[in-house]
């Protein structure tokens, strides 16, 4: 007969064993999940563990070592409870991969075929489970790398793990080859780094009627650029990326995101990127009903170094831009610096004439 003390000891051993077995959870949300819903998922994850790393736009990592001890249960059970809560509270089904390293759990979450589910991989199962998977299924292997490996005859993760690391480095390059060789064996030393979802801000425009006029679309986009830049400067922030969303008649939508060369809140930089995005949409006969422009991954402006520019025209535009939001005394201080042209230079037919 087993005593209560022995039962408690076996339960504690099972929990501590599971802590060693599975310590990282990768949560994959449905594609095109609205940002607000994704933020709610992150808040829900924080109920399970204080160490949550957001992976925009729709994924996250959760460190479970301390959480398993706190909740007194196994990692698979936590994953199942998480899925039930996201469904019941938010109406969002998630794919949960659990494993000893980030590469294993991220690969596991990508192998769940149903709209949602939980797949946990124990450390002693990693090699056998990864082996039969196609190389492109391994988290971190892109299409070009997979094509190079297949051309060499490496079609599955098991073969990639068997190839000498030096050979993989010759195929994929030094750093990429080393990482691919390690990840094929389930080796990934990266820790889960707590990171909240970066702040964003959005400006929108809705057309009074369906429009095919490219000039009208660009005019509306330019107006959104000015609004977005003004909001960022008023908040003392800069954007590291820009997202353009287009809504078409019939309910279809198009969205594309690009990173800025350097974080900025200037009209020039945001306009250039916005025009590149609208050109990438290849609008021909699509009837637009509205568009939205997002400033992504916002940070405080004083945290970003300013690049010195030798473009005098750009410098003059930045001075004029500053004049829109600065006290007149600040504008005069900029104006009176040696070699500085006044904002009025931008509105005159005589660019050589200086402010007096």
């Amino acid at each position: 007969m087993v005593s209560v003390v022995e039962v408690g000891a076996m339960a504690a051993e099972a929990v501590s064993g599971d802590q060693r077995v599975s310590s990282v959870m990768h949560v994959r949300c449905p594609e095109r999940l609205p940002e607000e819903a994704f933020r709610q998922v992150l808040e829900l994850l924080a109920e399970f563990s204080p160490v949550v790393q957001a992976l925009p736009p729709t994924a996250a990592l959760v460190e479970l070592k301390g959480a398993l001890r706190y909740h007194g249960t196994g990692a698979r059970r936590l994953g199942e409870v998480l899925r039930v809560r996201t469904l019941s509270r938010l109406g969002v089904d998630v794919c949960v991969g659990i494993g000893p390293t980030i590469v294993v759990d991220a690969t596991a979450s990508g192998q769940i075929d149903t709209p949602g589910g939980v797949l946990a991989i124990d450390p002693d199962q990693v090699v056998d489970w990864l082996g039969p998977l196609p190389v492109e299924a391994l988290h971190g292997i892109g299409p070009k790398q997979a094509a190079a490996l297949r051309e060499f005859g490496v079609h599955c993760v098991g073969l990639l793990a068997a190839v000498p690391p030096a050979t993989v480095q010759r195929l994929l390059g030094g750093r990429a080859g080393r990482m691919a060789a390690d990840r094929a064996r389930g080796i990934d030393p990266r820790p889960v780094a707590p990171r909240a979802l970066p702040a964003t801000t959005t400006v929108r425009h809705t057309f009074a009627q369906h429009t095919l006029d490219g000039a009208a679309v660009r005019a509306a986009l330019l107006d959104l650029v000015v609004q977005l830049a003004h909001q960022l400067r008023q908040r003392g922030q800069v954007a590291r990326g820009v997202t353009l969303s287009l809504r078409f008649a019939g309910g279809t939508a198009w969205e594309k995101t690009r990173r800025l060369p350097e974080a900025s809140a200037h009209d020039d930089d945001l306009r250039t990127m916005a025009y590149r995005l609208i050109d990438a949409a290849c609008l021909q006969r699509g009837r637009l009903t509205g568009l939205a422009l997002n400033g992504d991954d916002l940070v405080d402006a004083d945290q970003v170094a300013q690049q010195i520019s030798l473009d005098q025209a750009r410098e003059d535009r930045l001075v004029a831009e500053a004049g829109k939001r600065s006290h007149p005394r600040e504008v005069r201080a900029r104006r009176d610096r040696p070699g500085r042209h006044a904002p009025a230079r931008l509105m005159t037919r005589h660019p050589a004439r200086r402010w007096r």
Side-chain angles (χ1 to χ4, degrees), residues 197-221:
L197 185 65
T200 64
T201 185
T202 306
V203 289
R204 304 178 186 277
H205 177 86
T206 300
F207 294 103
Q209 57 186 6
H210 300 172
T211 182
L212 292 167
D213 187 355
V217 172
R218 283 192 173 258
L221 180 59

Side-chain angles (χ1 to χ4, degrees), residues 151-180:
E151 187 177 354
F152 188 72
V154 178
H155 302 280
C156 64
V157 178
L159 287 175
L160 177 58
V163 174
T167 304
V168 182
Q169 291 180 41
R170 285 196 296 271
L171 290 172
L172 304 181
R175 184 170 180 271
R178 286 192 300 272
M179 287 178 20

Side-chain angles (χ1 to χ4, degrees), residues 274-287:
Y275 282 174
R276 289 179 182 174
L277 289 169
I278 197 72
D279 290 341
C282 299
L283 296 177
Q284 294 179 351
R285 302 300 297 170
R287 294 178 298 157

Side-chain angles (χ1 to χ4, degrees), residues 254-267:
W254 179 93
E255 182 178 289
K256 193 173 184 65
T257 300
R258 284 191 179 176
R259 301 285 290 183
L260 290 164
E262 60 183 30
S264 176
H266 297 309
D267 296 6

Side-chain angles (χ1 to χ4, degrees), residues 26 53 55 61 100-108 121 125-142 145 149 156-163 165 168-169 172 174-191:
H26 186 275
Q53 180 178 348
L55 302 175
L61 290 169
T101 61
I102 291 178
V103 67
V104 174
D105 61 52
T107 302
I121 310 299
Q125 299 174 340
V126 167
V127 175
D128 293 336
W129 180 76
L130 286 176
L133 296 179
V135 289
E136 57 268 21
L138 183 64
H139 182 72
I141 298 293
Q145 293 177 330
L149 292 170
C156 64
V157 178
L159 287 175
L160 177 58
V163 174
V168 182
Q169 291 180 41
L172 304 181
R175 184 170 180 271
R178 286 192 300 272
M179 287 178 20
D182 286 343
R183 292 178 180 180
R185 299 170 175 84
I187 301 172
D188 190 350
R190 294 176 296 169

Side-chain angles (χ1 to χ4, degrees), residues 14 25 29 63 150 185 187 216 224 253 260 292 311 316 322 326 340:
M25 177 189 293
C29 301
E63 176 59 65
R150 285 185 173 277
R185 299 170 175 84
I187 301 172
L224 292 184
L260 290 164
D311 185 345
D316 288 336
S326 300
R340 175 64 64 190

